[in-house]
């Protein structure tokens, strides 16, 4: 298996170049490169339609979008969030001078445990910032109930949740419609990419207008600046690419689904290995394929991480360390590890296996065989045949 091309945790999906070239030609001809040009407007409209949401404001990336989302709702004081995420979630609070308050996650979904929010509320609390981790929807109803009771805003970090839907009132609806705002990432490593990019989803035109002002330095017109805005605008290049990418994203997600099913079948009976459950009421986007390697897994999580690397497979420990372990957070009272046992265990056990549309079945089989081999002592043989794929879920 040595000397093969490395397999990374993900590989960006790109359209055929010839499909994109006519868009580039238009940009070259019009010389409108940014500041809300025609592709920007078309892409916002196309995304609203595709995702089933009312209003979208495009951004240069999700981190600036998170920072701006908090500004747009004038969030201050303390915000309740999760330590089990990418650092950008909590960093967006710090960039606004807001104190993150970490609560533990649910052991089944690894999303913020809604039952723990109430106890973390203080007179300074103004909002809740959960994430739909790996694209698994949060307990949105329970979080909304707490927010309503205490008059708090909800900003979902939905960086992983492009295209995720859940059953509501007999129909499948976008998870992005929950809370006050949701933030998507279109980074290269995401299910849907525009190289770099992001967006805020909001329910009404007035909020979108404020967000649009904030991402353009606060300008309303040539001479009026209404807020200390930032430059968060998506360029015409990224927006045009997004329009082309939209044509292919359903196929890409379907291909991811097939890979996930194959992994699930191949790994279903590995001692000490847990896969996250899928709810029948959710249309997933298969953005990540995390496995949790518990005490019964012979090689241990870090042993497997290393063994995969030796085989040229760059699996990643998303999310280890916890955000609350990083130096700028660890002195916060809520970062105390004793208050975050579930998140800590997940961070110690998680490994995200490669998943992307171009990943070949033979490579999935090979990766799964390495994972299976780690469940037994080194002297035992790596199984050469695959278990019955007919059991795929
Ligand atoms: N909230 C959440 C919950 C997030 O997960 C993220 C981002 C954000 C907010 C912020 O969104 P953005 O501001 O980025 O829009 C990556 C991504 O950089 C980051 O966007 C993502 N989450 C995070 C989970 O993963 P790294 O440091 O692990 O990326 P990197 O460069 O190691 O990439 C992973 C692998 O992907 C590489 O080994 C190879 C492959 N790759 C990567 C890039 C960038 C490619 O094949 N091509 C590429 O262009 O953070």
């Amino acid at each position: 298996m040595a000397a093969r091309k490395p397999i990374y945790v993900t590989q960006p999906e790109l359209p055929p170049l010839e499909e994109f070239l006519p868009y580039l030609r238009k940009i070259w001809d019009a010389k409108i490169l940014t500041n809300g040009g025609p592709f920007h407007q078309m892409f916002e409209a196309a995304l609203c339609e595709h995702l089933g949401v009312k209003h979208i404001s495009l951004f240069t990336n999700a981190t600036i979008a998170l920072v701006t989302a908090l500004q747009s709702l004038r969030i201050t004081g303390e915000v309740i969030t999760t330590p089990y995420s990418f650092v950008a979630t909590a960093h967006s609070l710090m960039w606004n001078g807001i104190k993150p308050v970490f609560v533990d996650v649910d052991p089944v979904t690894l999303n913020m445990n809604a039952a723990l929010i109430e106890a973390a509320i203080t007179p300074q609390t103004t909002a809740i910032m959960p994430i739909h981790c790996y694209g698994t929807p949060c307990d949105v109803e329970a979080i909304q109930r707490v927010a309503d009771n205490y008059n708090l805003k909800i900003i979902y970090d939905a960086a992983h949740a492009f295209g995720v839907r859940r059953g509501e009132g007999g129909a499948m609806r976008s998870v992005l419609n929950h809370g006050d705002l949701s933030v998507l990432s279109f980074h290269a490593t995401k299910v849907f990419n525009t190289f770099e990019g992001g967006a805020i989803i909001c329910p009404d035109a007035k909020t979108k207008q404020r967000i649009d002002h904030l991402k353009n330095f606060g300008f309303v017109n040539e001479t009026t600046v209404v807020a200390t805005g930032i430059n968060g605008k998506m360029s015409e290049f990224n927006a045009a690419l997004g329009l082309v990418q939209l044509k292919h994203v359903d196929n890409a997600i379907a291909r991811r689904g097939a890979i996930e099913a194959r992994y699930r079948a191949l790994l279903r009976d590995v001692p000490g290995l847990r896969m996250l459950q899928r709810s029948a009421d959710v249309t997933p986007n298969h953005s990540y394929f995390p496995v949790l390697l518990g005490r019964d897994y012979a090689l241990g999580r870090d042993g497997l991480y290393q063994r995969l690397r030796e085989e040229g497979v760059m699996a990643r420990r998303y999310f280890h360390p916890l955000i609350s372990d990083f130096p700028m957070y660890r002195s916060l009272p809520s970062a105390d590890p004793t208050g975050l046992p579930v998140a800590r265990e997940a961070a110690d056990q998680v490994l995200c296996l490669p998943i992307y549309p171009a990943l070949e079945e033979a490579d999935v089989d090979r990766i799964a065989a390495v994972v299976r081999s780690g469940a037994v002592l080194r002297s035992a043989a790596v199984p050469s045949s695959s278990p019955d794929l007919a059991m795929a879920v």
Side-chain angles (χ1 to χ4, degrees), residues 1 307 311 365-374 376-385:
M1 280 191 226
R307 188 179 286 182
E311 301 293 345
D365 296 354
R366 185 165 72 87
I367 294 164
V370 178
V371 176
R372 293 181 70 85
S373 77
V376 289
L377 294 176
R378 192 54 156 161
S379 54
V382 177
S384 56
S385 62

mmCIF file of all heavy atoms in Angstrom, residues 1 307 311 365-374 376-385:
data_model
loop_
_atom_site.group_PDB
_atom_site.id
_atom_site.type_symbol
_atom_site.label_atom_id
_atom_site.label_comp_id
_atom_site.label_asym_id
_atom_site.label_seq_id
_atom_site.Cartn_x
_atom_site.Cartn_y
_atom_site.Cartn_z
ATOM 1 N N MET A 1 0.820 -1.205 0.000
ATOM 2 C CA MET A 1 0.000 0.000 0.000
ATOM 3 C C MET A 1 0.861 1.266 0.000
ATOM 4 O O MET A 1 0.336 2.352 -0.140
ATOM 5 C CB MET A 1 -0.893 0.043 1.235
ATOM 6 C CG MET A 1 -2.135 -0.804 1.107
ATOM 7 S SD MET A 1 -3.241 -0.417 2.459
ATOM 8 C CE MET A 1 -3.693 -2.050 2.960
ATOM 9 N N ARG A 307 -1.530 4.788 12.100
ATOM 10 C CA ARG A 307 -1.452 3.664 11.152
ATOM 11 C C ARG A 307 -2.008 4.073 9.784
ATOM 12 O O ARG A 307 -1.468 3.713 8.739
ATOM 13 C CB ARG A 307 -2.202 2.434 11.683
ATOM 14 C CG ARG A 307 -1.951 1.211 10.803
ATOM 15 C CD ARG A 307 -2.635 -0.050 11.280
ATOM 16 N NE ARG A 307 -2.001 -0.632 12.459
ATOM 17 C CZ ARG A 307 -2.407 -1.762 13.031
ATOM 18 N NH1 ARG A 307 -3.456 -2.426 12.538
ATOM 19 N NH2 ARG A 307 -1.799 -2.228 14.102
ATOM 20 N N GLU A 311 -0.216 4.473 5.911
ATOM 21 C CA GLU A 311 -0.802 3.955 4.665
ATOM 22 C C GLU A 311 -1.145 5.079 3.697
ATOM 23 O O GLU A 311 -1.839 4.865 2.703
ATOM 24 C CB GLU A 311 -2.077 3.166 4.985
ATOM 25 C CG GLU A 311 -1.872 1.985 5.921
ATOM 26 C CD GLU A 311 -1.033 0.867 5.286
ATOM 27 O OE1 GLU A 311 -0.857 0.882 4.055
ATOM 28 O OE2 GLU A 311 -0.556 -0.005 6.027
ATOM 29 N N ASP A 365 -12.665 0.689 0.682
ATOM 30 C CA ASP A 365 -12.455 -0.676 1.179
ATOM 31 C C ASP A 365 -11.103 -0.796 1.887
ATOM 32 O O ASP A 365 -10.981 -1.422 2.940
ATOM 33 C CB ASP A 365 -12.515 -1.683 0.022
ATOM 34 C CG ASP A 365 -13.889 -1.719 -0.632
ATOM 35 O OD1 ASP A 365 -14.815 -1.057 -0.109
ATOM 36 O OD2 ASP A 365 -14.041 -2.396 -1.663
ATOM 37 N N ARG A 366 -10.115 -0.186 1.295
ATOM 38 C CA ARG A 366 -8.751 -0.235 1.858
ATOM 39 C C ARG A 366 -8.711 0.488 3.207
ATOM 40 O O ARG A 366 -8.152 -0.016 4.183
ATOM 41 C CB ARG A 366 -7.796 0.424 0.852
ATOM 42 C CG ARG A 366 -6.332 0.355 1.203
ATOM 43 C CD ARG A 366 -5.486 0.710 -0.013
ATOM 44 N NE ARG A 366 -5.522 2.122 -0.360
ATOM 45 C CZ ARG A 366 -4.715 3.032 0.166
ATOM 46 N NH1 ARG A 366 -3.834 2.692 1.091
ATOM 47 N NH2 ARG A 366 -4.786 4.298 -0.217
ATOM 48 N N ILE A 367 -9.325 1.669 3.263
ATOM 49 C CA ILE A 367 -9.342 2.435 4.524
ATOM 50 C C ILE A 367 -10.092 1.634 5.591
ATOM 51 O O ILE A 367 -9.635 1.497 6.731
ATOM 52 C CB ILE A 367 -10.001 3.825 4.302
ATOM 53 C CG1 ILE A 367 -9.135 4.676 3.366
ATOM 54 C CG2 ILE A 367 -10.247 4.541 5.625
ATOM 55 C CD1 ILE A 367 -9.848 5.891 2.767
ATOM 56 N N ALA A 368 -11.246 1.087 5.193
ATOM 57 C CA ALA A 368 -12.039 0.317 6.160
ATOM 58 C C ALA A 368 -11.250 -0.893 6.663
ATOM 59 O O ALA A 368 -11.329 -1.252 7.847
ATOM 60 C CB ALA A 368 -13.360 -0.110 5.522
ATOM 61 N N ALA A 369 -10.465 -1.503 5.788
ATOM 62 C CA ALA A 369 -9.672 -2.671 6.202
ATOM 63 C C ALA A 369 -8.617 -2.265 7.234
ATOM 64 O O ALA A 369 -8.369 -2.996 8.206
ATOM 65 C CB ALA A 369 -9.007 -3.306 4.980
ATOM 66 N N VAL A 370 -8.024 -1.086 7.044
ATOM 67 C CA VAL A 370 -7.033 -0.613 8.034
ATOM 68 C C VAL A 370 -7.749 -0.357 9.369
ATOM 69 O O VAL A 370 -7.244 -0.731 10.438
ATOM 70 C CB VAL A 370 -6.321 0.675 7.537
ATOM 71 C CG1 VAL A 370 -5.345 1.181 8.601
ATOM 72 C CG2 VAL A 370 -5.584 0.417 6.226
ATOM 73 N N VAL A 371 -8.923 0.253 9.299
ATOM 74 C CA VAL A 371 -9.675 0.533 10.538
ATOM 75 C C VAL A 371 -10.017 -0.786 11.231
ATOM 76 O O VAL A 371 -9.829 -0.926 12.449
ATOM 77 C CB VAL A 371 -10.964 1.347 10.226
ATOM 78 C CG1 VAL A 371 -11.790 1.541 11.496
ATOM 79 C CG2 VAL A 371 -10.618 2.697 9.595
ATOM 80 N N ARG A 372 -10.474 -1.750 10.455
ATOM 81 C CA ARG A 372 -10.823 -3.052 11.047
ATOM 82 C C ARG A 372 -9.590 -3.726 11.650
ATOM 83 O O ARG A 372 -9.666 -4.346 12.713
ATOM 84 C CB ARG A 372 -11.444 -3.982 9.995
ATOM 85 C CG ARG A 372 -12.797 -3.521 9.478
ATOM 86 C CD ARG A 372 -13.363 -4.501 8.457
ATOM 87 N NE ARG A 372 -13.764 -5.739 9.109
ATOM 88 C CZ ARG A 372 -14.936 -5.920 9.683
ATOM 89 N NH1 ARG A 372 -15.835 -4.949 9.689
ATOM 90 N NH2 ARG A 372 -15.228 -7.060 10.269
ATOM 91 N N SER A 373 -8.470 -3.572 10.989
ATOM 92 C CA SER A 373 -7.251 -4.235 11.473
ATOM 93 C C SER A 373 -6.838 -3.689 12.838
ATOM 94 O O SER A 373 -6.209 -4.387 13.627
ATOM 95 C CB SER A 373 -6.114 -4.072 10.469
ATOM 96 O OG SER A 373 -5.563 -2.756 10.552
ATOM 97 N N GLY A 374 -7.209 -2.425 13.109
ATOM 98 C CA GLY A 374 -6.850 -1.813 14.384
ATOM 99 C C GLY A 374 -7.682 -2.316 15.553
ATOM 100 O O GLY A 374 -7.379 -2.010 16.710
ATOM 101 N N VAL A 376 -7.991 -5.411 16.273
ATOM 102 C CA VAL A 376 -7.362 -6.637 16.789
ATOM 103 C C VAL A 376 -5.873 -6.378 16.971
ATOM 104 O O VAL A 376 -5.337 -5.395 16.462
ATOM 105 C CB VAL A 376 -7.585 -7.827 15.825
ATOM 106 C CG1 VAL A 376 -9.029 -8.275 15.851
ATOM 107 C CG2 VAL A 376 -7.153 -7.469 14.419
ATOM 108 N N LEU A 377 -5.205 -7.235 17.661
ATOM 109 C CA LEU A 377 -3.782 -7.021 17.901
ATOM 110 C C LEU A 377 -2.993 -7.077 16.606
ATOM 111 O O LEU A 377 -3.414 -7.687 15.627
ATOM 112 C CB LEU A 377 -3.257 -8.074 18.894
ATOM 113 C CG LEU A 377 -3.858 -7.936 20.298
ATOM 114 C CD1 LEU A 377 -3.374 -9.056 21.196
ATOM 115 C CD2 LEU A 377 -3.526 -6.572 20.897
ATOM 116 N N ARG A 378 -1.838 -6.397 16.578
ATOM 117 C CA ARG A 378 -1.015 -6.233 15.372
ATOM 118 C C ARG A 378 -0.724 -7.563 14.692
ATOM 119 O O ARG A 378 -0.681 -7.649 13.462
ATOM 120 C CB ARG A 378 0.292 -5.530 15.773
ATOM 121 C CG ARG A 378 1.153 -5.008 14.652
ATOM 122 C CD ARG A 378 0.390 -4.083 13.720
ATOM 123 N NE ARG A 378 1.285 -3.170 13.003
ATOM 124 C CZ ARG A 378 0.962 -2.535 11.899
ATOM 125 N NH1 ARG A 378 -0.228 -2.724 11.345
ATOM 126 N NH2 ARG A 378 1.798 -1.702 11.315
ATOM 127 N N SER A 379 -0.559 -8.642 15.485
ATOM 128 C CA SER A 379 -0.179 -9.938 14.922
ATOM 129 C C SER A 379 -1.303 -10.550 14.084
ATOM 130 O O SER A 379 -1.069 -11.348 13.196
ATOM 131 C CB SER A 379 0.206 -10.899 16.041
ATOM 132 O OG SER A 379 -0.858 -10.947 16.976
ATOM 133 N N ALA A 380 -2.551 -10.135 14.367
ATOM 134 C CA ALA A 380 -3.663 -10.721 13.619
ATOM 135 C C ALA A 380 -3.691 -10.145 12.203
ATOM 136 O O ALA A 380 -3.278 -9.025 11.968
ATOM 137 C CB ALA A 380 -4.972 -10.411 14.322
ATOM 138 N N ALA A 381 -4.188 -10.949 11.267
ATOM 139 C CA ALA A 381 -4.162 -10.540 9.859
ATOM 140 C C ALA A 381 -5.231 -9.492 9.565
ATOM 141 O O ALA A 381 -6.288 -9.467 10.177
ATOM 142 C CB ALA A 381 -4.394 -11.759 8.979
ATOM 143 N N VAL A 382 -4.942 -8.616 8.591
ATOM 144 C CA VAL A 382 -5.947 -7.677 8.084
ATOM 145 C C VAL A 382 -6.932 -8.479 7.240
ATOM 146 O O VAL A 382 -6.510 -9.247 6.388
ATOM 147 C CB VAL A 382 -5.277 -6.599 7.200
ATOM 148 C CG1 VAL A 382 -6.313 -5.661 6.611
ATOM 149 C CG2 VAL A 382 -4.242 -5.836 7.999
ATOM 150 N N PRO A 383 -8.221 -8.364 7.495
ATOM 151 C CA PRO A 383 -9.161 -9.158 6.701
ATOM 152 C C PRO A 383 -9.034 -8.813 5.219
ATOM 153 O O PRO A 383 -8.910 -7.648 4.859
ATOM 154 C CB PRO A 383 -10.532 -8.724 7.224
ATOM 155 C CG PRO A 383 -10.305 -7.666 8.221
ATOM 156 C CD PRO A 383 -8.855 -7.483 8.438
ATOM 157 N N SER A 384 -9.028 -9.836 4.386
ATOM 158 C CA SER A 384 -8.824 -9.584 2.966
ATOM 159 C C SER A 384 -10.148 -9.436 2.226
ATOM 160 O O SER A 384 -10.214 -8.853 1.169
ATOM 161 C CB SER A 384 -8.010 -10.715 2.356
ATOM 162 O OG SER A 384 -8.676 -11.931 2.611
ATOM 163 N N SER A 385 -11.216 -9.974 2.796
ATOM 164 C CA SER A 385 -12.501 -9.851 2.092
ATOM 165 C C SER A 385 -13.411 -8.884 2.833
ATOM 166 O O SER A 385 -13.326 -8.734 4.038
ATOM 167 C CB SER A 385 -13.163 -11.221 2.006
ATOM 168 O OG SER A 385 -13.412 -11.679 3.305
#
